[in-house]
């Protein structure tokens, strides 16, 4: 039995926090058994071990509403390009990597974190550049969004892609004057990733373990595996067998392999088995706003007709909604553009009209970046949960102003509007797209400041407490775990985080500078600074 005292306890139970009398928490066998004042805790549990928070702030651990654990682990083994700002730097980084690691001819080389928006050239490297740079190794460069990238000629040849290969629906194989450019986006790029595969198993297992440590260092104890292809089933069965998962992981499988996932993870459907739970299925309805592949109802800025594009037909989306409903599973849909959001809403409404209990499914709209304010009523009526990638305001807000114009850009991630409609929204970072830094995300939601220092959509700013709810109790609700996680309450799991400052007390501009001092899962420390 452990008692934590000597600091502030932020319970995320609104009535309790308004009273402000909680300054001690008692934990036994992984559960919270007391929440209240220190003096009473000492009287009731004199035999407990006491831990002084030394002025820190204890609150429920953060819950990751959407990311990709295995992709983040895999990318940690790749060349990092986040700081590359021009083609000269790109050349130097790649050549230095080959030389330092003595990469042999024929070995695949992969790089991640590239963002053409941050390059001086505002472009991807072309095929000629890559072929001269890496003439003996197949190479894949992945955009920071994860939705597109470029390959060199050896890589294209190994994957069987020629100038005659047609672009798949919802994807693009780049060609110019009848020749391949090496550029791929959406479904075409995703198929390349599937064919290439991942690293050696033991190396990958170690990377998974290290990535969990990273999540814990940000105060997170529940993590999402946001899109599991069927090829990942053996990996997760092995992770469970070896008990490599020390955080709770919720997986969402490819809906096209739904039966395969249910059979493989029968013991994990809707409940944790060795820290893994099969939460439902995932579909993609469009692409990336910063990559100009998000599906919009109106053209991109400077375009007469181009609106991006969808990846699935209405009938395919409706079938996915029905399959999830028929198997009592949740469905997550990647929707960045308002046309993609419209498609998801319409198909959910159609299923509801056919008698499906859509509201109880808690359908999730992942990203919901350009979800329009006038679409909120339908979202609320359906019981749909928008999970906003609100940190886009800082990381790509200035790019969105160029792509969509000031008005549409100022309305991205409309958390303020969702709050007015009393919709329980969540926040996420889509790791590995950006670091799983929950406090930076809270800062973004409260301030909505871009990299260039502009305020983007002041009316969509929300109070700090509401932003914290989005990464705690609301996120627990998204996972149907609001009775187990998300707040500091007797009977819930002791998933807790200790911060060095109170996010409700510091100036809102300084929230992102708050440090995580310790993270506990089920009362056991999984991170200490």
């Amino acid at each position: 039995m452990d008692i934590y005292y000597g600091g502030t306890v932020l319970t995320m139970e609104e009535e309790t926090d308004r009273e402000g009398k909680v300054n001690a928490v008692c934990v036994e066998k992984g559960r919270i058994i007391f929440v209240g004042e220190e003096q009473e805790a000492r009287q009731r549990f004199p035999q407990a071990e006491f831990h002084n928070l030394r002025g820190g702030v204890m609150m429920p651990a953060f819950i990751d509403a959407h990311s990709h654990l295995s992709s983040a682990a895999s990318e940690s083994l790749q060349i990092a390009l986040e700081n590359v700002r021009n083609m000269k730097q790109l050349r130097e980084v790649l050549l230095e990597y080959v030389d330092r690691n003595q990469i042999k001819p024929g070995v695949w080389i992969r790089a991640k974190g590239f963002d053409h928006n941050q390059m001086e050239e505002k472009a991807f490297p072309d095929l000629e550049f890559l072929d001269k740079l890496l003439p003996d190794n197949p190479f894949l460069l992945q955009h920071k969004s994860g939705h597109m990238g470029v390959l060199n000629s050896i890589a294209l040849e190994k994957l069987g892609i020629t100038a005659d290969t047609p672009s798949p629906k919802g994807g693009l194989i780049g060609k110019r004057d009848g020749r391949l450019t090496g550029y791929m986006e959406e479904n075409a790029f995703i198929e390349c990733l599937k064919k290439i595969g991942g690293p050696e198993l033991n190396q990958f297992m170690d990377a998974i373990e290290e990535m969990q440590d990273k999540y814990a260092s940000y105060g997170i104890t529940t993590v999402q595996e946001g899109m599991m292809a069927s090829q990942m089933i053996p990996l997760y069965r092995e992770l469970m067998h070896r008990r490599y998962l020390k955080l709770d992981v919720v997986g969402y499988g490819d809906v096209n392999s739904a039966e395969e996932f249910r059979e493989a993870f029968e013991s994990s459907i809707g409940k944790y088995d060795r820290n893994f739970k099969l939460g439902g299925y995932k579909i993609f309805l469009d692409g990336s706003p910063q990559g100009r592949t998000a599906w919009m109802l109106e053209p991109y800025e400077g375009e007469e007709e181009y609106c991006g594009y969808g990846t699935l037909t209405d009938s395919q989306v409706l079938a996915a909604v029905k399959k999830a409903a028929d198997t009592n599973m949740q469905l997550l849909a990647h929707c960045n553009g308002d046309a993609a959001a419209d498609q998801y809403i319409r198909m959910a409404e159609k299923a509801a009209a056919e008698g499906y209990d859509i509201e109880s499914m808690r359908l999730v709209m992942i990203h919901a970046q350009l979800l329009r304010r006038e679409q909120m009523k339908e979202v609320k009526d359906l019981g749909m949960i928008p999970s906003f990638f609100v940190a886009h305001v800082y990381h790509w807000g200035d790019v969105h102003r160029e792509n969509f114009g000031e008005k549409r850009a100022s309305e991205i991630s409309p958390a303020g509007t969702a709050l007015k409609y009393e919709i329980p929204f969540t926040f996420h970072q889509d790791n590995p797209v950006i670091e799983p830094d929950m406090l930076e995300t809270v800062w973004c939601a409260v301030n909505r400041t871009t990299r260039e220092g502009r305020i983007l959509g002041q009316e969509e700013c929300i109070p700090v407490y509401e932003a914290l709810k989005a990464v705690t109790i609301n996120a627990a609700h998204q996972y149907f775990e609001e009775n187990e996680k998300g707040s500091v309450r007797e009977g819930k799991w002791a998933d807790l985080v200790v911060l060095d400052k109170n996010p409700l007390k510091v100036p809102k501009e300084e929230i992102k500078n708050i440090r995580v001092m310790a993270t506990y899962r089920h009362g056991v420390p999984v991170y200490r600074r």
Side-chain angles (χ1 to χ4, degrees), residues 172-461:
L172 175 69
I173 297 176
K175 298 174 186 178
R176 186 183 300 115
D177 299 327
R179 296 182 179 182
L180 293 170
T181 65
Y183 175 78
M184 303 275 174
E185 67 184 31
E186 302 305 339
N187 285 341
F189 185 67
I190 291 170
E191 285 304 310
C192 291
L193 294 177
K194 289 180 180 178
K195 290 179 181 179
I196 293 171
E200 187 267 334
L201 180 61
N202 287 332
Q203 184 186 30
F204 195 36
M205 291 281 188
D206 291 341
I208 288 279
E209 189 168 31
E210 291 176 8
M211 189 53 60
Q212 290 180 85
D213 290 340
K214 173 174 279 192
Y215 278 96
S217 74
Y218 285 112
I220 298 168
T221 56
T222 301
V223 178
Q224 188 176 116
E225 185 63 82
M227 177 56 176
M228 298 177 69
S230 58
Q231 294 92 324
M232 293 172 63
I233 290 175
L235 166 66
Y236 264 86
R237 289 177 65 89
E238 188 66 17
L239 284 169
M240 294 167 69
H241 174 69
R242 297 192 191 185
R243 297 186 180 275
Y244 257 55
L245 299 178
K246 53 189 174 184
L247 305 180
D248 287 345
V249 179
V250 187
Y252 290 84
D254 182 348
V255 72
N256 296 314
S257 303
E259 291 76 15
E260 193 174 350
F261 276 98
R262 289 179 62 83
E263 181 179 350
F265 299 109
E266 184 177 2
S267 64
S268 302
I269 297 175
K271 60 184 179 182
Y272 290 100
D273 176 14
R274 287 161 288 181
N275 297 0
F276 177 78
K277 178 174 80 170
L278 183 63
Y281 312 127
K282 170 77 178 293
I283 54 176
F284 282 87
L285 303 193
D286 71 341
S288 157
Q290 69 269 39
R292 297 174 74 91
T293 56
W295 186 20
M296 303 298 298
L297 291 170
E298 298 176 7
Y300 280 77
E301 194 77 356
E303 301 281 354
E304 292 185 5
E305 298 182 0
Y306 179 72
C307 296
Y309 50 85
T311 57
L312 297 177
T313 64
D314 283 359
S315 60
Q316 288 174 316
V317 177
L318 180 61
V321 172
K322 290 180 176 180
K323 179 173 286 188
D326 286 336
T327 54
N328 195 31
M329 300 292 275
Q330 193 178 37
L331 182 67
L332 276 57
H334 167 116
C335 305
N336 265 314
D338 53 1
D342 179 69
Q343 184 184 45
Y344 194 29
I345 290 167
R346 285 188 294 104
M347 293 306 102
E349 289 176 332
K350 187 170 184 179
E354 294 179 18
Y356 286 88
D357 183 7
I358 297 301
E359 190 172 354
S360 68
M361 293 174 67
R362 300 185 188 178
L363 296 173
V364 182
M365 185 183 292
I366 296 296
H367 305 327
Q369 297 242 47
L370 290 133
L371 177 67
R372 299 168 83 105
R373 291 167 177 169
E374 53 265 35
Q375 293 172 316
M376 287 291 182
K377 183 181 184 302
E378 288 82 0
V379 167
K380 181 178 177 65
D381 291 344
L382 290 164
M384 191 176 282
I385 301 170
S387 185
F388 297 119
F389 194 165
V390 72
H392 253 256
V393 173
Y394 172 72
H395 289 276
W396 290 282
D398 299 303
V399 175
H400 295 333
R401 292 175 65 252
E402 296 175 8
N403 286 342
F404 302 109
E406 191 69 32
K407 183 180 184 300
R408 281 192 292 178
S410 69
E411 296 175 2
I412 65 168
S413 297
T417 301
L419 183 61
K420 291 176 184 176
Y421 276 85
E422 299 182 341
I423 296 170
F425 56 87
T426 65
F427 295 149
H428 63 268
Q429 297 83 31
D430 204 17
N431 187 33
V433 176
I434 63 172
E435 292 283 287
D437 188 340
M438 288 294 183
L439 290 166
E440 181 195 64
T441 287
V442 168
W443 171 82
C444 287
V446 171
N447 294 282
R448 291 184 68 96
T449 304
T450 72
R451 283 184 183 272
E452 293 181 7
R454 294 185 175 91
I455 304 299
L456 190 61
Q458 178 72 50
E459 63 276 19
E460 295 297 345
C461 292

